Amino acid sequence: MSASKGKGWVGWLIVLLVLALVVTAVVVTITMKKHKGSSGLGPVPGPPGEITAKYSDALGVALQFFDVQKSGKLVDNKIKWRGDSALNDGKEEGLDLSKGMYDAGDHMKFNFPMAFTATVLSWSILEYGDQMDAVNQLDSARGSLKWITDYLINCHPKDDLLYIQVGDPDLDHKCWERPEEMTEKRPLKQVDAKTPGTEVAAETAAAMAAASMVFKSVDSTYSDSLLQHAQKLFTFADTHKGSYSVSIPDLQKYYNSTGYEDELLWAATWLYHATGDQSYLSYVTVQNGEDFADWGRPTWFSWDDKRAGTQVLLSRVNFFASKQASNAESKGLQMYKKTAEAVMCGLLPDSPTATDSRTDGGLIWIDQWNALQHPVAASFLAVVYSDYMLTSRTESFSCSGSSYTSEDLRNFAKSQADYILGDNPMKMSYLIGYGDKYPQQVHHRGASIPANANTGCKGFKWLESKDPNPNVAMGALVGGPFKNDSYIDLRNNSMQGEPTTYNSAIIVGLLSGLVTTSSIAQSLS
């Protein structure tokens, strides 16, 4: 009798233990469950971890395009088919505007997209400089940035005067020549109190404010100079409001601006990070946020529209440093973060609010001209936002009731980067010089003409040649595929085959974020 009772007790104990294990497993499963198999938050990364070779290699290639695009007297020239060029730029006004970078496959210096290039390159270094350093690319990135900011400083000789363009695009586009051989006139365009250009002045202020933080620990005197220029340019942009597309109608044919409010928010945000001055935070959250930011409506990040970039950058304040903000400022910051999340929701392919504007191969596709600009820029924002979440231990965000994690955002960014690097229906890299197969007839004057050719302005036989370019435009990110994932490799196909310097800035940022993992610095200053 007693033996039978003992066996029953043991049996019930076993049943209770099994039930406890089942309940525990269910609780753990519910707790750990993430959207569609995502593994959730990993440990907070410390110093840069294991290097992902393909992104490291691609980053080293991408940074070389800045050397390809350099104007002026070249120092430590790494591109053997390039030489000194445009040495007299600015001389008619007593200025040295020989530096800076050529815009695309031509020889124009358009400061609006060039300043954006500097801002994004600065942002990339500030967020991912340790990861660049881990693969020996930080010095190259900083050197390229300084080549632009040296030029931008010289473009701002007076508080209310900013030179914004070097060269005549109509003349430039009538020539097919190497930059080293240019002889045509290269006139200047400017904005001032009577001819306002708020967007280009504000973007230049953003570039200088961001760069001032990059050089703060490297060259404090240079950093201070950049910050002084940034503050004066912002005051100029905000005081003399007016679009440069209206002031100088000729510019509408090339980099036409759709408005300047986004650049004012963008510049003030960078100045807040650079100075800690609360008045800049109030400017973007309380004074102008509701009118300028278009809260709640996701947009695409580009040289013309900085709203999504500003939303992500201000989310950094929300994640790491919003305790000093007033109630009104905090409310504005929450609206920026909410809109940044809406941007992220639009990117994730299985989100309820995902954009359906994608190729069959999975690439976000917005415009047939320079098609890669938007997916690369969106992916850069996604990897930055992902790392803000990971470092701050933010578990997830919601898209119309579905939860997504930092890993989901990182996987999206990887999918776009991988497409660009060759995982696409064409099985071709769109980053020139990376991989075994990439376009051979890039729409780029210098790359298309042999270094020893003496063509003058009329080297159009090289434009029309069916042969591969004699020079490789290393690191060029071409315009990209059509909506059907196809690409036509013809030099005259500028729609798909022309690279831009600002595309290089955003691909450098994206690759820098993917090359390895590390924690995000909680302050940029």
Side-chain angles (χ1 to χ4, degrees):
M1 187 81 173
S2 60
S4 175
K5 284 182 181 179
K7 289 180 181 179
W9 178 82
V10 171
W12 279 110
L13 179 61
I14 292 171
V15 170
L16 289 171
L17 286 171
V18 170
L19 285 172
L21 288 171
V22 170
V23 170
T24 300
V26 170
V27 170
V28 169
T29 300
I30 292 173
T31 302
M32 296 299 291
K33 187 177 181 181
K34 303 296 174 191
H35 180 79
K36 296 200 173 180
S38 171
S39 62
L41 286 173
V44 178
E50 184 178 352
I51 304 299
T52 303
K54 65 178 175 181
Y55 300 133
S56 172
D57 294 345
L59 176 61
V61 171
L63 279 163
Q64 293 181 58
F65 192 59
F66 294 127
D67 291 323
V68 170
Q69 295 301 91
K70 283 181 178 176
S71 167
K73 188 168 184 60
L74 303 184
V75 179
D76 190 23
N77 181 24
K78 299 179 179 65
I79 307 298
K80 299 307 179 187
W81 50 272
R82 279 301 324 279
D84 299 344
S85 62
L87 297 179
N88 293 321
D89 280 1
K91 277 194 173 180
E92 67 268 32
E93 296 294 338
L95 301 171
D96 179 6
L97 302 184
S98 60
K99 280 189 175 182
M101 294 186 185
Y102 300 121
D103 176 61
D106 54 15
H107 303 138
M108 289 298 301
K109 295 177 189 175
F110 293 114
N111 287 22
F112 190 27
M114 195 197 308
F116 176 71
T117 298
T119 312
V120 173
L121 186 54
S122 295
W123 193 5
S124 303
I125 295 169
L126 290 167
E127 301 287 13
Y128 298 120
D130 58 341
Q131 301 188 180
M132 291 179 177
D133 197 30
V135 293
N136 301 313
Q137 299 297 339
L138 179 57
D139 287 345
S140 175
R142 274 199 300 235
S144 295
L145 174 62
K146 191 172 184 296
W147 200 267
I148 299 176
T149 54
D150 284 352
Y151 164 80
L152 294 178
I153 286 174
N154 288 352
C155 284
H156 185 223
K158 298 178 183 178
D159 290 358
D160 291 354
L161 172 63
L162 178 67
Y163 288 95
I164 63 163
Q165 180 177 301
V166 181
D168 181 330
D170 293 330
L171 285 177
D172 182 271
H173 290 183
K174 289 176 182 176
C175 289
W176 195 267
E177 61 189 341
R178 297 174 63 243
E180 294 80 2
E181 291 190 328
M182 287 189 296
T183 58
E184 62 269 19
K185 291 182 178 180
R186 291 178 61 78
L188 309 180
K189 287 192 183 295
Q190 67 185 58
V191 294
D192 51 38
K194 294 182 179 179
T195 311
T198 294
E199 55 274 273
V200 65
E203 182 60 63
T204 308
M208 290 180 164
S212 75
M213 290 185 281
V214 171
F215 294 107
K216 191 172 183 179
S217 62
V218 180
D219 185 340
S220 60
T221 301
Y222 188 67
S223 172
D224 290 344
S225 175
L226 285 168
L227 187 55
Q228 289 172 22
H229 279 281
Q231 291 173 310
K232 291 175 180 177
L233 277 167
F234 179 76
T235 299
F236 166 52
D238 192 42
T239 303
H240 302 285
K241 290 189 180 74
S243 173
Y244 90 151
S245 292
V246 175
S247 298
I248 312 172
D250 289 351
L251 299 177
Q252 295 175 19
K253 293 186 291 184
Y254 298 98
Y255 286 97
N256 183 45
S257 171
T258 56
Y260 56 74
E261 292 87 354
D262 55 312
E263 278 81 23
L264 287 171
L265 296 177
W266 177 241
T269 300
W270 278 112
L271 280 162
Y272 171 67
H273 281 292
T275 66
D277 186 336
Q278 207 76 5
S279 68
Y280 291 117
L281 183 62
S282 180
Y283 183 97
V284 299
T285 55
V286 180
Q287 298 170 35
N288 298 292
E290 191 167 352
D291 291 336
F292 290 177
D294 208 5
W295 286 330
R297 189 172 76 86
T299 52
W300 296 104
F301 185 44
S302 72
W303 60 264
D304 180 43
D305 194 337
K306 318 299 161 45
R307 284 173 292 180
T310 302
Q311 289 146 13
V312 170
L313 188 57
L314 283 171
S315 295
R316 163 182 262 288
V317 183
N318 249 309
F319 280 119
F320 302 123
S322 60
K323 292 180 181 179
Q324 296 177 353
S326 68
N327 288 338
E329 290 165 350
S330 295
K331 182 179 179 181
L333 285 170
Q334 285 297 325
M335 292 304 298
Y336 278 106
K337 185 172 182 288
K338 182 179 179 181
T339 312
E341 289 182 352
V343 172
M344 298 302 127
C345 290
L347 304 180
L348 298 171
D350 50 0
S351 159
T353 56
T355 178
D356 59 2
S357 185
R358 301 172 199 260
T359 71
D360 289 342
L363 180 76
I364 282 182
W365 197 91
I366 305 302
D367 196 339
Q368 63 182 354
W369 279 93
N370 195 10
L372 289 178
Q373 176 187 193
H374 292 106
V376 176
S379 300
F380 171 62
L381 295 185
V383 79
V384 169
Y385 200 86
S386 168
D387 287 336
Y388 290 171
M389 290 180 65
L390 189 61
T391 301
S392 66
R393 313 311 291 150
T394 301
E395 181 113 358
S396 64
F397 62 97
S398 177
C399 302
S400 298
S402 297
S403 293
Y404 296 87
T405 68
S406 61
E407 186 180 6
D408 293 320
L409 287 174
R410 192 172 184 88
N411 287 339
F412 160 76
K414 285 181 178 179
S415 75
Q416 303 298 284
D418 291 347
Y419 183 106
I420 291 161
L421 298 180
D423 186 10
N424 57 62
M426 296 291 292
K427 302 301 179 187
M428 175 176 68
S429 166
Y430 291 107
L431 181 67
I432 305 304
Y434 178 84
D436 298 326
K437 181 183 177 184
Y438 47 82
Q440 299 296 302
Q441 292 194 34
V442 179
H443 184 90
H444 189 277
R445 289 159 175 74
S448 71
I449 302 174
N452 59 359
N454 184 14
T455 66
C457 178
K458 304 298 181 182
F460 287 99
K461 73 172 186 177
W462 301 106
L463 170 63
E464 297 158 3
S465 169
K466 303 301 180 185
D467 296 329
N469 285 348
N471 309 308
V472 179
M474 290 293 290
L477 183 67
V478 294
F482 286 133
K483 183 72 179 289
N484 64 2
D485 291 300
S486 68
Y487 181 88
I488 301 170
D489 189 14
L490 291 175
R491 197 171 294 107
N492 234 335
N493 178 16
S494 57
M495 180 184 291
Q496 290 188 287
E498 186 169 18
T500 60
T501 310
Y502 52 89
N503 271 14
S504 290
I506 54 179
I507 191 69
V508 163
L510 172 58
L511 293 170
S512 297
L514 295 177
V515 73
T516 182
T517 54
S518 69
S519 58
I520 288 289
Q522 296 192 19
S523 173
L524 294 178
S525 59

